[in-house]
Amino acid sequence: MTAALTRALRRHWLLALLVLAGLVLRIITQLAYRPALLYIDSFRYLDDVGVFHPGGINPVGYEWFLWPLLGVGGLTGVAVVQHLLGIGLGIGVYVLLRRFGVREWLSALAAAPVLLDAYQLQIEQLIMSDLLFQVLLLVAVYLLCWWGPPTPKVAAVAGAVLALSVMVRSVGLTVVLPAAVFVLLAAGLRPRGGWRPRLIATGALVAGFGGLVLVYALYGAVVGGKFGVGGSGGGGVLFGRAAVVANCDELDLTREEQLLCPDEPRERREKIGIDFYLHLWDVQANVDNLLPEGMDVNAAQRSLTRKVVFNQPLDIAAGVVGDFLKGFAPTRTQAVGDVPLDRWQFQLDHPTYAPDWYAQEWAELYDGVGLRADPELTSFLRGYQLGGGYTPGLLLGCALLLASAAVLGAGRARRSGLRAVTLLPAGLVTTSLLTASVMEFSWRYQLPGLVLFPLAGALGATAIFGREAIRSTPRSTPSEECQMLTTFPDAVDRDALEEYASRYGEHRFAPVVVLIAAYNEEESIGEVLDAIPARSCDLDVDTLVVVDGAKDRTAEVSLKHGAHTCVAPNNRGQGAALRLGYRLAAQRGARYVITTDADGQYDISELPKLLEPLIEGRADFVSGSRRLGSNERPALIRRIGTYVFAWVVSALTRQRITDTSFGFRGMRVEVPNSVTLRQPQYQSSELLVGLLSHGYRAVEQPMRMLQRTAGESKKGSSLSYGYRYAKVVLGTWWRERRSTGRAAGAPAVERVSERPAAVGD
């Protein structure tokens, strides 16, 4: 456990440093302002916890989040959980980017804004809904992207998560639009199964979203007397903006509308700000003192807003676009009329936005103590924030430009398979910020950009400039008989990947991919492909054939039988072909990779034996074993070799292995992509010894080894094959021993349903 953690920290050292720094900053924030920070909206949330009245300005979703936390840990507990979620956001961004092949350093830098930005720290310490809104958006991205093109079930769940974001912040109402576009295009412009599955999945997303939002709106109508999801008052989100720019003397207004149209000159109104007019008539005292009794204020606000929008559309549009672009300013600036910036900045004392006694009562109610601030820590945080401890808007704007360029197909993006994935976070955050800008500008509303803009930008940069190249420098000089691979992708890999992307676009694999490396197997591969099921263990199954520079019609036969086919222009060996297939499966969203041969020597009906331990979480790697199962007419020397090499590997790894070279294997897609694989041939032992050295859990299953259905073995003579196989086994063990500093100790191999070898084996 300790060794595995050490390896993980060594590999992801930059993220680990950023997480550590973010954790320290959050501890300081927690100690600086105890038990938590309270804003104007905080009191509305706290007052409604347990009541959940849906008729107010704010939706009640955040109150559902607060309710159990306040009962257990008070305001302090809420702030602690929110800080932990903030750390989780940064790690989540990193993990998702690594899932799609983004370089480690770039993935870590994309996580840095949400981990280190002082405005993020401040909002996490506040009793406010913004952090939960960020979390729900990232969860939706995970659901829609992690497993490839989303199925209807996954899309419906993601739609429900987006609906929950609406119940947290009503600005989320529009995010379903970019999500629906993504689901529709997730499999590319020419989806393999046609457009019908994509349309069904898109419909499921919209149904999951719309159904849950409708239920909440009905709840609002029944309980709160207002059909809707909350907002900025009865006049709608545009009333404040309309009031600021309205040409009251030029519009044909009713008496009620005239009463609501401000008397101040437009220049004066712009200085007063949208926020003032947006909430002016939410205060009942203003209604009672300034308007006639019985006047329908909400109806008058809505009708006035419509007239301003229809008669002054350019004024409204210019205001919205201008406020949207403010978020990309190089520094945090305070424009005239905007929500005051200092509300989102650390103060030297404990700020309150209500009478002091009222704020203190809330703190004493839940935490037993009043509001307190540590002057030294608050001074540090304020200095950090004002001294540059935030993400420049220009950087976020560059991320958006990179994402946009990738979506439009710049550079290598057209063949990257990442255009649709880049579109999703970019579309979600752009739509969210634009929707917020329709109402007004506030730096608080820009916070989703700290999560999704860097995420989209890193994906866009990777799509344009290419994915990570895995450096693997050999410790020995390559020999003529067994030249070792040094980098991925090399020129052959790149050519194969580009040809594959041009054929299949941005399609994503099913959860299970059966991978076959094939060289001159046109006689047998068709029958093997036809036997592979479309589903197994309740998971969809895709087939991927990597044609290793074949001279015959292997590629044509594979395509004819419906397999995804990747053609390497040069023959390099089974190990090189499988390594290419492992990486392609990971890049295109597979969860599990199953390897089998093109010669028909393995019984594909035994596929569930490989999948079940993986799905149940009992293993990371599952291999068949002919010694636990059976072998049809094995050559004596090959049979002896199977026993000898099993004994050697068992002795070296201190784990009992019965079959080191059985080609019918299953594994989580991360396993082969995290193990050093250099061998163009004899890859089975390299993978096995490597994964055991890395501490992965391995399981052996009894299986049958059949006779070849066609073609000839490409392993050469038994003696030369044995010599080279032994070199790989010993070389891999020594390499891994040197790299880990120990003799590859790992959990014992588990054998399922072990029985004696068959008679005659």
Side-chain angles (χ1 to χ4, degrees), residues 121-141:
L121 300 175
Q122 196 259 3
I123 210 68
E124 291 173 12
Q125 188 68 12
L126 272 169
I127 304 301
M128 290 287 284
S129 63
D130 300 81
L131 183 277
L132 186 56
F133 184 70
Q134 292 175 301
V135 170
L136 290 170
L137 289 183
L138 186 61
V139 169
V141 173

Side-chain angles (χ1 to χ4, degrees), residues 529-660:
L529 294 174
D530 290 342
I532 297 174
R535 285 183 65 82
S536 183
C537 296
D538 293 325
L539 293 176
D540 290 336
V541 176
D542 277 340
T543 305
L544 171 62
V545 176
V546 178
V547 180
D548 186 34
K551 303 296 191 295
D552 64 356
R553 296 178 60 255
T554 299
E556 289 87 339
V557 174
S558 298
L559 289 168
K560 181 179 178 181
H561 286 263
H564 293 83
T565 304
C566 180
V567 181
N570 300 328
N571 175 243
R572 298 175 297 166
Q574 185 189 45
L578 287 176
R579 188 179 69 166
L580 173 58
Y582 295 143
R583 185 50 58 99
L584 186 57
Q587 290 177 351
R588 298 280 179 144
R591 271 184 278 172
Y592 308 110
V593 177
I594 308 297
T595 61
T596 189
D597 287 352
D599 55 18
Q601 287 189 289
Y602 301 109
D603 185 356
I604 198 68
S605 67
E606 295 183 315
L607 176 59
K609 289 185 178 182
L610 298 179
L611 282 175
E612 286 170 359
L614 298 172
I615 295 171
E616 293 170 1
R618 292 189 288 111
D620 305 306
F621 174 86
V622 185
S623 177
S625 169
R626 76 200 84 184
R627 288 181 58 194
L628 299 179
S630 63
N631 192 357
E632 294 184 359
R633 300 182 182 177
L636 178 59
I637 194 166
R638 292 284 172 87
R639 180 182 171 187
I640 294 174
T642 300
Y643 279 86
V644 169
F645 285 119
W647 179 84
V648 170
V649 171
S650 298
L652 293 175
T653 62
R654 300 179 184 177
Q655 301 168 61
R656 184 166 180 263
I657 304 297
T658 65
D659 196 335
T660 65

Side-chain angles (χ1 to χ4, degrees), residues 277-329:
Y277 294 105
L278 186 64
H279 299 295
L280 174 63
W281 305 114
D282 292 337
V283 180
Q284 189 60 41
N286 293 336
V287 174
D288 295 338
N289 296 331
L290 302 175
L291 299 177
E293 184 178 354
M295 175 178 165
D296 190 341
V297 181
N298 292 342
Q301 285 181 288
R302 289 193 295 268
S303 61
L304 174 60
T305 301
R306 282 196 298 269
K307 289 182 178 180
V308 175
V309 170
F310 289 141
N311 288 277
Q312 299 175 243
L314 295 181
D315 289 336
I316 296 293
V320 172
V321 173
D323 280 354
F324 173 74
L325 294 177
K326 287 178 183 178
F328 302 110

Side-chain angles (χ1 to χ4, degrees), residues 243-260:
V244 167
V245 301
N247 296 325
C248 301
D249 296 335
E250 300 175 12
L251 298 173
D252 182 17
L253 302 179
T254 65
R255 177 176 176 273
E256 289 79 7
E257 293 166 354
Q258 191 68 52
L259 289 171
L260 299 182

Side-chain angles (χ1 to χ4, degrees), residues 53 157 242 580 641 696 728:
H53 181 71
V157 173
L580 173 58
Y696 285 113
V728 172

Side-chain angles (χ1 to χ4, degrees), residues 144-145 148-150 177-187 198 420-421 423-424:
L144 292 172
C145 290
L177 299 176
V181 172
F182 166 77
V183 175
L184 189 64
L185 301 178
R198 304 275 30 97
V421 176
L423 172 65
L424 179 60

Side-chain angles (χ1 to χ4, degrees), residues 23-41:
L23 185 60
V24 170
L25 286 170
R26 283 163 172 81
I27 292 173
I28 293 173
T29 303
Q30 186 76 51
L31 295 175
Y33 303 95
R34 290 177 284 176
L37 288 170
L38 300 174
Y39 180 60
I40 300 168
D41 291 10

Side-chain angles (χ1 to χ4, degrees), residues 727-751:
K727 280 187 65 176
V728 172
V729 168
L730 296 174
T732 303
W733 173 78
W734 181 246
R735 181 188 72 205
E736 296 299 329
R737 179 183 175 87
R738 290 177 61 190
S739 65
T740 60
R742 61 185 180 85
V749 175
E750 175 187 355
R751 272 163 295 280

